[in-house]
């Protein structure tokens, strides 16, 4: 089963990444990461969504190379202050803690990129989502790209065509757009990511009329027009905000998507994404299988291996 999946997703990577990469050099790696993610999620359930998002934001910029983890230096501006990440990307301290635990067990062996990939998988599984094997052997990039983070990452207020184009630019399909967007069944969003839909939708000085009325009222109360508190959050799935379940697609069918980028998957007339939303709502087990397939594709985007990149001593800085 694993071998065909490898052939299906970026076969050029298959000989370089493998499921047993650290079997001899760091045999306890997956246990160390899993235990650390359990601890972080038990301390704050929202952290599962944050680690998953961090992995997504890493892979969409320069590939899955840990570039999102880098701090600014005198010679390099990192991605943390890019618009999609600034004051919203989080979980860096969790990755730091995992890296420290891994280094204590097997020094200078495991990349930060592999740690982040495993942590994202474990976050999904601990939230009730599927478990899938993660191929390993990524190396860490030596630079970051703030401009690419601003340009490449899909924004919550973008049109469906723009979102699809950004996915296709990195080799992901329309189906992957729907499947990976469903990660928003867990987590929360800042008011400023969707407030324009509540009061001034596309410059009309009125809300988006497609939003279900009771949800609209609740969000307007939570995020009043004259309140710009960056710490106010809205659950992306109010009923089961910490559970990786199938409610996401039902919410879209009921016009209850909090983010415009989610609701547009179902509300855009004649969109190629609508049949996928309907199918996955009816067949949740099919979704679970397709989600782990899309996550494998995501995790294999433009990875560095072998002599490329490095194994960072500290995930925040190049060696």
């Amino acid at each position: 089963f694993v071998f065909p999946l490898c052939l299906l997703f970026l076969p050029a990577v298959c000989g370089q990444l493998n499921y047993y990469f650290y079997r001899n050099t760091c045999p306890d790696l997956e246990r160390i990461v899993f235990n650390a993610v359990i601890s972080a999620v038990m301390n704050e359930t929202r952290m599962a969504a944050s680690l998953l998002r961090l992995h997504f934001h890493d892979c969409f910029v320069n590939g899955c190379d840990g570039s999102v983890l880098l701090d600014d230096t005198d010679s390099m501006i990192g991605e943390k202050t890019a618009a999609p990440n600034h004051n919203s990307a989080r979980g860096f301290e969790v990755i730091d803690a995992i890296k420290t635990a891994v280094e204590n067990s097997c020094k200078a062996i495991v990349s930060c990129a592999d740690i982040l990939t495993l942590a994202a998988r474990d976050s999904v599984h601990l939230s009730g989502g599927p478990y899938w094997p993660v191929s390993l052997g990524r190396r860490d990039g030596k630079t970051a790209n703030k401009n690419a983070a601003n340009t490449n990452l899909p924004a919550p207020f973008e049109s469906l065509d723009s979102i699809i184009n950004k996915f296709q630019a990195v080799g992901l399909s329309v189906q992957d757009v729907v499947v990976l967007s469903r990660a928003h069944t867990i987590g929360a969003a800042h008011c400023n990511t969707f407030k324009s839909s509540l009061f001034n939708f596309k410059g009309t000085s009125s809300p988006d009329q497609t939003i279900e009325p009771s949800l609209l009222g609740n969000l307007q109360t939570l995020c009043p027009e004259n309140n710009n508190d960056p710490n106010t959050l809205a659950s992306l799935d109010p009923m089961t905000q910490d559970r990786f379940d199938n409610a996401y697609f039902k919410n879209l069918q009921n016009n209850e998507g909090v983010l415009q980028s989610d609701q547009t998957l179902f509300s855009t007339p004649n969109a190629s994404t609508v049949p996928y939303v309907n199918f996955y709502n009816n067949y949740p087990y099919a979704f679970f299988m397709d989600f782990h397939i899309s996550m494998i594709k995501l995790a294999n985007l433009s990875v560095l291996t072998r002599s490329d990149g490095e194994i960072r001593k500290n995930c925040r800085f190049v060696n």
Side-chain angles (χ1 to χ4, degrees), residues 84-124:
N85 295 326
H86 188 54
N87 292 327
S88 64
R90 56 199 300 273
F92 300 107
E93 295 80 6
V94 174
I95 300 301
D96 290 341
I98 299 174
K99 176 64 171 175
T100 297
V102 170
E103 288 291 301
N104 288 339
S105 179
C106 32
K107 190 173 182 64
I109 297 294
V110 182
S111 69
C112 299
D114 274 345
I115 288 172
L116 182 53
T117 303
L118 287 169
R121 187 271 310 274
D122 292 345
S123 294
V124 170

Side-chain angles (χ1 to χ4, degrees), residues 246 280 282-290:
N246 215 45
Y280 290 131
N282 292 330
Y283 301 101
Y285 292 107
F287 166 78
F288 270 37
M289 174 61 72
D290 288 348

Side-chain angles (χ1 to χ4, degrees), residues 97-296:
I98 299 174
K99 176 64 171 175
T100 297
V102 170
E103 288 291 301
N104 288 339
S105 179
C106 32
K107 190 173 182 64
I109 297 294
V110 182
S111 69
C112 299
D114 274 345
I115 288 172
L116 182 53
T117 303
L118 287 169
R121 187 271 310 274
D122 292 345
S123 294
V124 170
H125 187 54
L126 287 168
S127 301
Y131 182 93
W132 61 93
V134 172
S135 56
L136 300 168
R138 296 166 191 79
R139 292 175 68 86
D140 297 319
K142 297 182 180 180
T143 188
N145 193 332
K146 180 179 179 179
N147 289 336
N150 280 323
T151 302
N152 297 358
L153 287 166
F157 40 78
E158 281 191 271
S159 69
L160 180 57
D161 284 345
S162 178
I163 293 169
I164 289 174
N165 287 339
K166 288 186 175 183
F167 271 71
Q168 291 179 334
V170 297
L172 298 174
S173 67
V174 171
Q175 183 176 11
D176 294 321
V177 172
V178 178
V179 170
L180 294 175
S181 293
R182 191 266 176 94
H184 289 163
T185 190
I186 56 175
H190 293 272
C191 289
N192 60 11
T193 61
F194 57 84
K195 196 192 297 190
S196 62
S197 296
L198 308 182
F199 301 101
N200 188 30
F201 184 60
K202 296 182 178 180
T204 61
S205 299
S206 63
D208 179 0
Q209 300 300 321
T210 67
I211 300 176
E212 194 279 326
S214 62
L215 174 65
L216 175 63
N218 290 338
L219 292 177
Q220 288 176 329
T221 299
L222 178 67
C223 306
E225 189 171 13
N226 59 354
N227 183 351
N228 295 310
D229 182 359
N231 297 314
T232 304
L233 300 170
S235 297
L236 294 173
D237 179 4
M239 299 301 294
T240 56
Q241 61 181 348
D242 300 319
R243 188 73 180 167
F244 199 94
D245 57 21
N246 215 45
Y248 174 83
F249 296 119
K250 178 60 68 178
N251 289 345
L252 298 188
Q253 291 177 330
N254 293 335
N255 292 324
E256 294 176 346
V258 173
L259 298 180
Q260 180 184 330
S261 57
D262 287 329
Q263 189 58 54
T264 193
L265 299 177
F266 187 75
S267 298
T268 301
N270 302 313
S272 57
T273 53
V274 173
Y276 288 115
V277 172
N278 291 330
F279 176 75
Y280 290 131
N281 179 67
N282 292 330
Y283 301 101
Y285 292 107
F287 166 78
F288 270 37
M289 174 61 72
D290 288 348
F291 182 80
H292 98 248
I293 291 174
S294 291
M295 285 297 292
I296 291 172

